[in-house]
Amino acid sequence: MSEPRTHRRIALLICDVPADTIREQHGDYTRIFGTLLEESLKPINEIHSADSQTTFTLEPFDVRAQVYPEEDEYDAVLITGSASTAHEYDQPGREWMKKLIEYVRVVATQKPRIKIFGICFGHQIVALAMGGTCVRNTRFEVSATKLQLTELGKRVYGVESGVLNIHLMNRDHVPTEPPSFHVLSSSSQSPNHGMVLFSQSEFPKDAPHSNFRLTDIHILTSQGHPEFTESIMNLLLRLRRELLGPELVHDGESRAGQPERWSCGHWKGHMGCYGGRMTNLP
């Protein structure tokens, strides 16, 4: 007997809009993340019959305008990146960030069935919501960068080599993870490029997690941008040339084409498979 069709509703919390040149070529964040999630589902659906395919609906909410979903109607929330500075949430004009932090805290603590995924700024917002820290780093991290995986990170991401190559565009970082979270990856400049919180409280902080299932994950974050393509990264580098400086831009351009276009079957736990994770919930 084949498995029934699965459809999941995902709320996309929009924290910024792409620059005009990026939007003209690649669409808005709903299209960019939708494309990534569709690609991530292909290897999952290829091994299932036509009547047991997994599908999803990605619905955007502009949280800068304080527009939020009725969370009980969704299976997961995905928090986008932003040019805003997460740790300035107490500054005038940043009220929307303060509300976002509180929203994430409420969903995380009171709605355990809802999966939460944070990308870059979203990673930082999750940290602040759950008791971690977010601060300015010494310099920007840009373009394709090889991250070192923890032992747990190797299993979550499905990368046995211990190295994850992903696009970065950040200056802020999360030096201290929240209680009960586990760091998955790091760079030479930042000790935390991704973290996970398991749904089951019986996993102690220092446990090896040898028996976890991907569906045991409640919250998953990434400082890097799995939704970025080489084209998007190159456009961003050119747009931010004055901010980044010509030397860093040149270095970033030389590495922009290096990341693999990850598939769900290859790396399981990262954003390329968030679609698989979100659409294959228990």
Side-chain angles (χ1 to χ4, degrees), residues 37-52:
L37 297 178
E38 288 171 359
E39 290 179 358
S40 77
L41 277 177
K42 288 179 181 178
I44 293 175
N45 284 331
E46 285 175 356
I47 62 174
H48 290 86
S49 62
D51 59 354
S52 60

Side-chain angles (χ1 to χ4, degrees), residues 13-69:
L13 305 189
I14 302 290
C15 303
D16 207 343
V17 293
D20 290 344
T21 52
I22 293 176
R23 193 164 60 250
E24 289 168 3
Q25 296 186 37
H26 299 279
D28 59 13
Y29 276 137
T30 307
R31 179 180 170 188
I32 290 171
F33 279 101
T35 298
L36 178 61
L37 297 178
E38 288 171 359
E39 290 179 358
S40 77
L41 277 177
K42 288 179 181 178
I44 293 175
N45 284 331
E46 285 175 356
I47 62 174
H48 290 86
S49 62
D51 59 354
S52 60
Q53 297 291 289
T54 296
T55 59
F56 70 93
T57 302
L58 185 65
E59 301 175 31
F61 296 87
D62 189 349
V63 296
R64 298 168 307 159
Q66 303 199 26
V67 178
Y68 283 84

Side-chain angles (χ1 to χ4, degrees), residues 90 95 97 112 114 116 162 184:
D90 270 335
E95 292 81 8
M97 289 192 285
I114 299 175
I116 299 175
L184 300 175

Side-chain angles (χ1 to χ4, degrees), residues 48 57-58 63 70 84 98 144 153 159 168 173-174 180 192 204-205 223 226 237 255 258 264 267-268 273:
H48 290 86
T57 302
L58 185 65
V63 296
E70 293 291 338
S84 298
K98 195 167 186 177
V159 179
L168 305 180
H173 72 133
V174 175
S180 300
N192 181 2
K205 179 172 178 58
Q223 181 64 68
L237 289 168
R255 293 182 281 115
Q258 293 179 8
C264 193
W267 56 325
K268 294 182 181 178
C273 190

Side-chain angles (χ1 to χ4, degrees), residues 99-119:
K99 181 172 181 178
L100 177 59
I101 289 169
E102 181 57 28
Y103 176 86
V104 170
R105 182 183 298 117
V106 169
V107 173
T109 58
Q110 300 181 17
K111 309 286 183 179
R113 78 165 188 85
I114 299 175
K115 306 293 187 182
I116 299 175
F117 306 90
I119 303 301

Side-chain angles (χ1 to χ4, degrees), residues 196-245:
V196 65
L197 177 70
F198 289 97
S199 297
Q200 299 178 9
S201 59
E202 60 263 29
F203 285 123
K205 179 172 178 58
D206 297 324
H209 301 281
S210 58
N211 297 317
F212 78 89
R213 301 172 302 164
L214 293 179
T215 49
D216 291 329
I217 292 175
H218 179 202
I219 301 175
L220 184 63
T221 73
S222 170
Q223 181 64 68
H225 289 272
E227 80 279 14
F228 281 4
T229 61
E230 178 182 356
S231 172
I232 291 175
M233 178 51 64
N234 278 320
L235 288 169
L236 268 176
L237 289 168
R238 292 167 196 158
L239 288 166
R240 297 180 178 178
R241 184 178 183 86
E242 184 174 344
L243 175 66
L244 299 173

